[in-house]
């Protein structure tokens, strides 16, 4: 498919170049050169928004530990800032360059790269787990919790650490951008929604369909925002209040996370994601939370101690995390090996017509787009390519610097361990990017935990805790930035933005984040009592990650009974299911579930699978009633739902920062029996 796509673009370019140029002039769609898409005003706005979003991310990281996607908000606020800037200068009689969708996309990309480090850098998890307070909270008498394994946060080493590890993820998957976006046609729901929002700001509404799509997006964005605002009033304080915890399928199902949580974001994802992805997610939820976890729970006290906490790896939580990891690795590694195999065949035989796997529903998308627009997106995405030698040499050079530097910052982390991490990092980055493209879930912390256990076990009792936590921060940074880059490539593809400008803006945003993320964290660290169990900034993941590192030092034998055997079984099952998808006829393979999508609810829960399935049912019925309308408006409506909920995260975070809590806690529980 990769060869056919490239050839088709070249032929269409030769045949349609004059007609396209004229039509693009009529539509105002001349794409500026990639260097013109990056502007000084864009960088200034990116720094301001990056700092704002870093503060919000640190706030959420140190309180609840859950970080929503702010891509949509970055695109919206980038548009607002630059439009206000240009509008003011125009009133003052100053001539300004037009604000294009490409510049808007570049700003969004830069902001995401900046604030992403506030999460993937481990400031709320692995880095803070090294500090003295976390050591004291776990207890000095706890086996494996040594006073030597303490490294308190300091601005100097944190900035240096960010600079030597944060750029590798950007170079790890650049050669696969065409495969992920054009050949696999992964949806990246947040990236698609962000692109549609940006396009709605810059579209010539004189086109009838475009105007109707913009109105649909705006309508459902307003509805989603208003609904999220309404829900906030009933969400109280804590994790058990509000519509997000409504036992819509009954109290027994609610205990196993089966409920509809009224989330516009996940309903919107269900409208955008292909039916097979949504059904795979629901199937994974039924297998795990419907059967597997209740079955394992019956053996509490035999397979694992019955009195463990919900986040203890020696209990049920260990099964959840490691079985999900096994499924993800099985699916991701199978597809990575297949990509390498197909690529090698293409190099040897230009006539290869081997199809790549995955989502087929979006391959006939030209029914809802003009041929001109589709071909222009393909042409723009392919034209300004980043040479493979740049990506490979950049990764090797940065890895060499990091291998030399990380052991200086963390003496327990030997250079050969860092080398080993960077050898396997691209494979894990691919798995995370692939999963994000399917379901919009980035399992950054999951891959970080893999490294944590491996490094802690390899180093042993003499420094294994610090080594494991440092490795976790390294791997989280790589897999997160790789997934963010690929998601932004999807946004750039849909907004006619040059991949080269997207890549450069990622580099700029990452450089900004390497300074801004530690600085904003240092503000919290200096101003508040971070890690105090009774204070507002509990840093809930600090203790969890340090306990994981302590378990890792003692080896995987500390995991509950039969856990590793189950992991092996699910890993092999993922390989077999993928093989079946490739060898059976297409009419059958389209109904075979995707293991990567199935794995997400194993770890997260079933609630979002219910939401996404509601979205896919709505789309299925809509397609049966009026396929044309469904194809034309489903993406716009889904984007509106995702955007409205995403935009609400900003005012809700600001309210949280000022300690303004919802006035009502709406709670549903069993009625008292007589």
């Amino acid at each position: 498919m990769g060869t056919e796509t490239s050839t088709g673009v070249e032929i269409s370019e030769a045949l349609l170049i004059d007609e396209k140029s004229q039509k693009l002039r009529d539509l105002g769609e001349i794409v500026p050169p990639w260097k013109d898409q990056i502007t000084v005003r864009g960088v200034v706005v990116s720094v301001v928004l990056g700092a704002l979003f870093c503060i919000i991310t640190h706030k959420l990281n140190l309180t609840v530990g859950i970080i929503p996607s702010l891509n949509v908000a970055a695109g919206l606020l980038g548009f607002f800032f630059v439009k206000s800037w240009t509008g003011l200068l125009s009133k003052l009689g100053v001539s300004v360059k037009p604000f294009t969708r490409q510049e808007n996309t570049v700003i969004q990309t830069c902001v995401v790269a900046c604030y992403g480090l506030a999460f993937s850098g481990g400031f709320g998890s692995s880095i803070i787990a090294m500090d003295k307070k976390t050591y004291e909270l776990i207890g000095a008498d706890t086996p494996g919790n040594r006073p030597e394994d303490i490294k308190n946060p300091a601005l100097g080493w944190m900035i240096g650490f960010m600079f030597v590890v944060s750029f590798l993820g950007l170079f790890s998957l650049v050669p696969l951008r065409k495969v992920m976006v054009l050949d696999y046609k992964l949806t990246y729901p947040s990236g698609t929604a962000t692109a549609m929002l940006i396009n709605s700001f810059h579209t010539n509404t004189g086109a009838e369909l475009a105007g109707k799509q913009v109105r649909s997006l705006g309508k459902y964005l307003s509805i989603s925002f208003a609904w999220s605002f309404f829900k906030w009033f009933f969400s109280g304080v804590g994790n058990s209040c509000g519509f997000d915890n409504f036992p819509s399928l009954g109290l027994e199902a609610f205990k196993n996370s089966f409920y509809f949580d009224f989330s516009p974001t996940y309903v919107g994802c269900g409208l955008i994601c292909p039916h097979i992805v949504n059904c795979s997610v629901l199937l994974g939820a039924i297998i795990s939370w419907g059967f597997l976890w209740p079955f394992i729970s019956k053996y509490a006290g035999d397979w694992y101690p019955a009195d463990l906490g919900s986040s203890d790896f020696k209990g049920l939580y260990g099964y959840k995390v490691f079985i999900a990891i096994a499924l993800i690795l099985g699916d991701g590694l199978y597809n990575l090996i297949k990509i390498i195999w197909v690529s090698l065949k293409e190099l040897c035989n230009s006539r290869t017509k081997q199809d790549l796997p995955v989502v087929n529903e979006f391959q006939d998308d030209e029914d809802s787009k003009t041929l001109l627009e589709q071909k222009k997106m393909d042409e723009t995405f392919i034209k300004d390519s980043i040479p493979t030698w740049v990506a490979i040499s950049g990764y090797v050079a940065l890895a060499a610097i990091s291998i030399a530097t990380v052991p200086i910052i963390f003496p327990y982390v030997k250079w050969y361990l860092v080398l080993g991490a960077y050898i396997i990092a691209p494979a894990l980055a691919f798995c995370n990017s692939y999963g994000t493209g399917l379901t919009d879930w980035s399992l950054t912390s999951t891959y970080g935990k893999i490294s944590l256990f491996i490094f802690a076990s390899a180093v042993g009792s003499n420094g294994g805790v610090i080594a494991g936590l440092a490795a976790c921060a390294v791997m989280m940074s790589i897999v997160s930035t790789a997934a963010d880059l690929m998601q932004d490539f999807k946004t750039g593809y849909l907004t006619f933005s040059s991949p080269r400008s997207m890549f450069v803006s990622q580099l700029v945003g990452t450089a900004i984040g390497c300074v801004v993320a530690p600085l904003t964290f240092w503000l919290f660290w200096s101003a508040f009592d971070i890690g105090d169990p009774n204070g507002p900034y509990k840093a809930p993941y600090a203790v969890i990650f340090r306990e994981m590192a302590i378990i890792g030092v003692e080896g995987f034998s500390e995991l509950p009974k039969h856990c590793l055997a189950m992991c092996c079984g699910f890993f092999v099952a993922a390989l077999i299911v993928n093989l079946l998808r490739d060898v059976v006829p297409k009419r059958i393979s389209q109904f075979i579930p995707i293991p990567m999508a199935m794995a997400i609810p194993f770890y997260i829960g079933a609630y979002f699978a219910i939401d996404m399935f509601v979205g896919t049912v709505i789309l299925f019925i809509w397609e049966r009633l009026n396929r044309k309308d469904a194809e034309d408006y489903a993406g716009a409506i889904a984007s509106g739902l995702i955007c409205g909920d995403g935009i609400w995260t900003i005012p809700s975070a600001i309210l949280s920062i000022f300690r303004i809590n919802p006035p009502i806690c709406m709670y549903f529980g069993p009625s008292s029996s007589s």
Side-chain angles (χ1 to χ4, degrees):
M1 180 183 296
T3 303
E4 290 179 330
T5 302
S6 300
T7 304
V9 170
E10 292 167 4
I11 293 173
S12 65
E13 182 179 359
L15 295 177
L16 299 176
I17 184 67
D18 294 333
E19 181 183 356
K20 281 198 297 186
S21 298
Q22 183 58 45
K23 287 186 177 180
L24 287 172
R25 288 189 185 94
D26 294 340
L27 295 172
E29 282 293 346
I30 295 296
V31 177
W34 73 270
K35 291 182 180 179
D36 292 344
Q37 297 174 22
I38 304 171
T39 62
V40 174
R41 67 188 179 193
V43 173
V44 172
V45 169
S46 298
V47 172
V48 174
L49 290 179
L52 171 64
F53 282 14
C54 278
I55 291 173
I56 293 174
T57 301
H58 286 315
K59 163 68 179 179
L60 296 174
N61 225 352
L62 297 172
T63 51
V64 297
I66 299 174
I67 313 298
S69 172
L70 297 172
N71 296 41
V72 169
L76 174 68
L77 290 179
F79 176 81
F80 172 77
F81 271 72
V82 177
K83 271 297 183 183
S84 301
W85 182 334
T86 56
L88 177 62
L89 291 179
S90 297
K91 289 181 179 180
L92 297 176
V94 179
S95 177
V96 293
K97 288 177 59 178
F99 182 42
T100 64
R101 71 179 70 190
Q102 289 78 25
E103 185 181 355
N104 202 161
T105 305
V106 164
I107 292 172
Q108 179 266 337
T109 300
C110 195
V111 173
V112 169
C114 178
Y115 92 80
L117 293 184
F119 166 70
S120 64
F123 294 101
S125 54
S126 53
I127 285 181
I128 199 172
M130 302 177 186
D131 81 324
K132 185 177 181 180
K133 175 160 287 186
T134 307
Y135 160 78
E136 292 172 346
L137 284 173
I138 291 177
D141 56 345
T142 300
N145 189 34
R146 307 187 315 152
E148 294 86 353
D149 293 325
I150 293 176
K151 189 174 182 66
N152 288 315
L155 201 54
W157 75 257
M158 287 192 299
I159 292 177
F161 181 66
M162 289 294 102
F163 268 107
V164 298
V165 304
S166 298
F167 291 91
L168 281 101
L170 302 181
F171 289 89
S172 62
L173 291 187
V174 166
L176 298 181
R177 65 182 183 85
K178 176 179 173 293
V179 173
M180 305 285 268
V181 176
L182 292 185
D183 296 339
Y184 270 38
K185 300 185 185 298
L186 297 177
T187 54
Y188 292 98
S190 286
T192 299
T194 305
M196 292 201 70
L197 181 71
I198 291 173
N199 283 337
S200 73
F201 295 149
H202 302 273
T203 295
N204 179 1
T205 54
E208 183 178 357
L209 178 59
K212 290 180 179 179
Q213 289 174 331
V214 169
R215 286 192 290 273
S216 294
L217 188 148
K219 175 183 176 181
Y220 284 90
L221 184 150
S222 302
I223 292 173
S224 177
F225 182 87
W227 173 247
S228 299
F229 178 47
F230 174 77
K231 285 200 306 178
W232 176 83
F233 283 95
F234 301 91
S235 57
V237 179
N239 299 319
S240 60
C241 305
F243 286 93
D244 292 344
N245 295 278
F246 184 82
S248 48
L249 301 178
L251 290 169
E252 193 62 33
F254 180 79
K255 291 178 182 177
N256 289 308
S257 75
F258 282 95
Y259 58 94
F260 179 66
D261 73 345
F262 299 91
S263 169
T265 293
Y266 299 131
V267 174
C269 287
L271 283 168
I272 288 181
C273 290
H275 294 306
I276 187 60
V277 171
N278 297 318
C279 292
S280 298
V281 170
L282 182 62
L283 178 61
I286 293 171
I287 290 173
S288 57
W289 293 89
F291 295 101
L292 190 57
W293 305 152
F295 171 77
I296 294 175
S297 297
K298 293 179 181 178
Y299 293 91
D302 180 14
W303 288 10
Y304 61 91
D307 56 348
L308 298 178
S310 59
S311 298
D312 196 315
F313 274 78
K314 295 182 180 180
L316 183 61
Y317 189 67
Y319 293 99
K320 294 177 183 179
V321 171
F322 283 94
I323 291 177
I325 289 172
L327 267 177
I328 291 167
L329 288 179
D331 190 311
L333 292 177
Y334 178 93
N335 283 286
L336 179 62
I337 292 170
K338 184 165 187 177
I339 286 178
I340 295 172
W341 171 248
V342 172
S343 300
L344 290 175
K345 288 184 68 177
E346 287 181 348
L347 289 175
C348 299
N349 183 1
S350 61
R351 293 174 298 175
T352 297
K353 294 184 177 181
Q354 170 72 37
D355 284 339
L356 292 172
V358 202
V359 189
N360 296 314
E361 278 80 352
F362 281 82
Q363 292 180 1
D364 296 323
D365 225 12
E366 291 183 357
D367 291 338
S368 60
K369 298 176 182 176
T370 65
L371 177 63
L372 169 66
E373 185 179 38
Q374 182 70 47
K375 296 301 182 184
K376 187 61 181 179
M377 285 192 293
D378 291 348
E379 175 194 334
T380 303
F381 193 73
I382 294 172
K383 182 182 65 174
D384 289 333
S385 62
I386 299 110
T388 301
W389 69 266
V390 171
I392 295 175
S393 59
Y395 188 85
V396 171
L398 290 169
I401 295 172
S402 185
I403 289 169
T405 309
V406 169
I408 297 175
I409 301 174
F410 302 104
Y412 292 121
V413 184
K414 305 304 180 184
W415 68 269
Y416 49 85
L417 294 175
V418 184
L419 174 62
Y422 290 151
I423 291 174
I424 65 171
L428 298 181
F430 169 80
C431 293
N432 193 41
S433 298
Y434 177 48
T436 304
L438 287 174
T439 64
D440 213 34
W441 278 99
S442 175
L443 298 182
T444 297
S445 62
T446 301
Y447 295 103
K449 291 165 187 172
I450 296 174
S451 300
L452 188 153
F453 274 95
I454 293 174
F455 270 63
S457 177
V459 174
S461 58
N462 186 24
V465 170
I466 291 293
L469 293 171
C472 177
V474 170
M475 195 59 69
M476 283 178 64
S477 176
I478 292 174
V479 300
S480 178
T481 52
D484 288 343
L485 176 64
M486 211 57 65
Q487 180 139 254
D488 288 331
F489 273 145
K490 180 70 174 185
T491 303
Y493 170 73
L494 295 172
T495 58
F496 303 95
S497 301
S498 166
R500 197 168 294 179
S501 67
M502 302 295 290
F503 184 68
V504 172
S505 66
Q506 278 274 353
L507 291 174
V508 172
T510 301
I512 295 170
C514 287
V515 177
V516 172
L519 277 174
T520 48
F521 172 77
W522 191 251
L523 291 176
F524 282 92
W525 180 261
S526 303
F528 303 104
D529 189 9
I530 304 299
D532 180 4
N534 300 314
Y537 298 98
K538 298 177 176 63
Y541 283 111
V543 171
I544 293 173
F545 273 68
R546 190 173 183 94
E547 285 182 338
M548 285 191 295
I550 293 172
I551 293 175
V553 167
E554 300 180 14
F556 288 99
S557 60
E558 292 298 311
L559 291 175
K561 191 182 294 185
H562 305 306
C563 182
L564 287 180
M566 289 183 180
C567 289
C568 293
F570 277 94
F571 181 85
V572 173
L575 297 178
I576 294 173
V577 170
N578 272 294
L579 186 62
L580 284 174
R581 286 178 58 85
D582 285 338
V583 299
V584 302
K586 184 176 178 181
R587 67 179 185 277
I588 299 175
S589 67
Q590 63 180 334
F591 296 108
I592 297 178
I594 302 171
M596 181 76 74
M598 292 175 60
I600 309 298
F602 272 64
Y603 175 64
I604 303 294
Y607 60 94
F608 81 98
I610 303 294
D611 295 351
M612 292 180 70
F613 189 71
V614 168
T616 210
V617 168
I618 293 171
L619 181 60
F620 181 81
I621 296 173
W622 192 1
E623 287 173 338
R624 294 301 174 272
L625 297 176
N626 191 329
R627 176 169 289 274
K628 181 68 167 62
D629 276 0
E631 290 175 345
D632 288 346
Y633 297 107
I637 291 173
S639 299
L641 292 173
I642 296 173
C643 292
D645 200 20
I647 292 169
W648 168 249
T649 59
I650 295 178
S652 65
I654 293 173
L655 290 170
S656 177
I657 289 173
F658 286 101
R659 301 184 186 181
I660 301 175
N661 297 316
I664 302 170
C665 173
M666 183 176 70
Y667 173 74
F668 295 90
S671 58
S672 57
S673 57
S674 57

